[in-house]
Amino acid sequence: MRLGIHITEFTVPAGPAGIAPELAEVARTADAAGVARLSVMDHFFQMERVKPATDPMLEGYTTLGFLAAHTSAVQLGLLVTGVTYRHPGLLAKIVSTVDVLSGGRAELGIGAAWYEREHLGLGVPFPPLAERFERLEEALRICLQMWDPEDDGPFEGEHYRLAETLCSPQPIRRPPILVGGGGEKKTLRLVARYADACNLFAGDKDQVRHKLDVLRGHCDALGRDFSAIEKTLTYRAAPGVGGADGFLRDVADYAGLGVDTVILVPPGDAPAAWAERVAAPLVPRLADL
């Protein structure tokens, strides 16, 4: 099993001036330890169901560019981009840029978006859920076409129309696509059709098993190799110092279900110290599961 680190808070004690050095230290520690994935959220406001909306929140892709400059091996992505946040052609160009500047380490994490307050707050259109899923599928198709060096022709969809899908420079590697969410009829079907990875949440292990079985069914229906899709799991109850043994016993069950990568969320006020004392020692132990 591999380890990912997902940063969701930027409330470091030193305030805004302390965010950059704290993130740089997290990045260096993750890279040196062999962490597989390093991600941040893609939101305009902090999620009010977790913390106050007024808490600090950074723009995601700018942050990935910063993290790229402080790392050399870890895969970088957002968990996940809301399809409504950026036009798909621009999104493909942004992810391509991160990939080129990081030496081929960018991932596209994407989902249907949900946080209405931040859309309304900044004047970003927030269409109904059914339309957001339609846009999500078109966005996936656009990104794949943008990253096909043999196809820079037009794209004609219901919601997006591009006269040219020109993307130069092309990514160093075609960025892996992660579709976030566990919706059984739409989201996991999109994973099976387009994605290289899925992301589920830890909790009810029978539910995780069920979601993976649903994904397997979609793969079978589409003729897709289920084993080719990376199964990631966000585990929000990240262990503290001394809590590694219980955590490893718990995630061993998820490894048995076929989960490849467990993603931990560090504390918002001291992520660098946590990464060094807790996350780094977990990397070799998780590799044994």
Side-chain angles (χ1 to χ4, degrees), residues 20-253:
E22 187 78 15
L23 287 180
E25 189 59 32
V26 173
R28 287 189 288 264
T29 299
D31 218 38
V35 169
R37 293 167 164 271
L38 181 59
S39 59
V40 297
M41 293 201 299
D42 195 16
H43 283 295
F44 309 142
F45 301 164
Q46 177 56 271
M47 297 187 299
E48 58 189 337
R49 66 187 185 187
V50 177
K51 295 285 185 176
T54 52
D55 274 12
M57 181 54 56
L58 300 183
E59 194 283 317
Y61 286 105
T62 309
T63 305
L64 291 187
F66 176 83
L67 294 174
H70 292 277
T71 55
S72 60
V74 67
Q75 184 165 290
L76 302 169
L78 300 188
L79 193 62
V80 293
T81 285
V83 68
T84 49
Y85 296 167
R86 300 166 190 85
H87 189 285
L90 176 61
L91 175 62
K93 183 67 177 178
I94 292 169
V95 176
S96 300
T97 300
V98 174
D99 190 77
V100 168
L101 296 182
S102 67
R105 295 184 288 120
E107 173 187 74
L108 170 62
I110 193 166
W114 60 268
Y115 194 1
E116 185 175 17
R117 176 177 173 176
E118 64 184 358
H119 289 76
L120 298 179
L122 297 189
V124 177
F126 188 65
L129 181 60
E131 181 180 327
R132 299 202 305 275
F133 270 104
E134 293 170 359
R135 288 178 177 271
L136 176 57
E137 182 157 13
E138 287 190 20
L140 290 164
R141 292 170 55 202
I142 289 167
C143 287
L144 288 170
Q145 186 169 326
M146 291 275 290
W147 295 332
D148 180 354
E150 304 302 318
D151 187 357
D152 61 4
F155 178 90
E156 289 288 336
E158 179 68 24
H159 302 287
Y160 302 110
R161 294 170 181 81
L162 287 69
E164 298 179 83
T165 51
L166 177 63
C167 186
S168 181
Q170 281 282 306
I172 292 174
R173 64 161 187 174
R174 199 272 283 166
I177 294 172
L178 179 150
V179 174
E184 297 178 13
K185 294 182 179 179
K186 294 183 178 181
T187 303
L188 293 179
R189 179 185 61 81
L190 292 174
V191 172
R193 184 177 293 276
Y194 298 105
D196 304 287
C198 67
N199 181 250
L200 302 173
F201 289 92
D204 185 333
K205 292 171 185 173
D206 288 337
Q207 183 74 354
V208 172
R209 179 187 292 107
H210 171 69
K211 298 289 186 183
L212 293 175
D213 286 344
V214 171
L215 177 59
R216 186 189 302 274
H218 286 305
C219 288
D220 290 344
L222 293 168
R224 179 83 189 276
D225 182 2
F226 173 76
S227 66
I229 297 172
E230 182 185 4
K231 291 81 177 177
T232 75
L233 184 83
T234 300
Y235 193 104
R236 293 197 66 90
V241 176
D245 290 344
F247 165 75
L248 289 164
R249 286 193 296 271
D250 192 36
V251 297
D253 293 337

